[in-house]
Amino acid sequence: MAASTSLLTLRQNILRRLWPGHFPLIDTTTALGSTTTVTIGGAAYSGASVNKYDGVHIYIAELETGGPAIGEIARVASGGVAVATGIFTVSPAFTAAVQNGTNVQFHYGLR
C-alpha cells in the first residue's frame, strides 16, 4: 500500500517548487494578530522594503482554535509590512483574529 501524504504537506511541496528562493513561503505566526494583521517574527528585517510583499496572498493552512478557517485567503496591502516587527496588514479581513501558532502559506501571483 502506498504511503499517504497530507494535503498540507502536498501544498507545501508544491509551493517550494513554484517559488524557489522566495521568503517566506510557509511559516507559523508568532503572536496573536487581528482580522487584518498576521505576525511572523522571523520575517522581520529592518532593511527590507515595506512594499516587498504587496499583493501576495496569505493562505490559512491550518486551523487554530478561535482563528480563521483553513482556506481563508487575504492579500498583503500595499506598503503593508512593518519590516521591523514582521507584521503583515491584509485585506480583505479574515473572519476571525489570526491566532499565535497558525500555519500560513504565501502565494506569489496565484490564489
Side-chain angles (χ1 to χ4, degrees):
M1 180 177 271
S4 64
T5 302
S6 72
L7 180 57
L8 176 63
T9 300
L10 182 61
R11 289 180 61 87
Q12 291 172 341
N13 290 338
I14 291 169
L15 288 174
R16 288 184 184 108
R17 289 179 185 256
L18 284 174
W19 299 293
H22 279 79
F23 176 80
L25 280 176
I26 304 155
D27 221 319
T28 303
T29 59
T30 56
L32 178 65
S34 69
T35 58
T36 59
T37 62
V38 175
T39 303
I40 301 172
Y45 173 59
S46 61
S49 166
V50 298
N51 299 103
K52 181 176 174 87
Y53 299 96
D54 288 2
V56 173
H57 293 92
I58 295 181
Y59 173 89
I60 303 297
E62 284 191 323
L63 178 64
E64 284 296 321
T65 302
I70 294 172
E72 286 194 40
I73 297 174
R75 292 178 79 170
V76 178
S78 180
V81 180
V83 294
T85 59
I87 296 175
F88 296 79
T89 300
V90 299
S91 179
F94 291 113
T95 59
V98 177
Q99 302 296 303
N100 181 31
T102 302
N103 288 323
V104 296
Q105 298 173 348
F106 287 72
H107 296 190
Y108 293 84
L110 177 68
R111 179 162 186 250

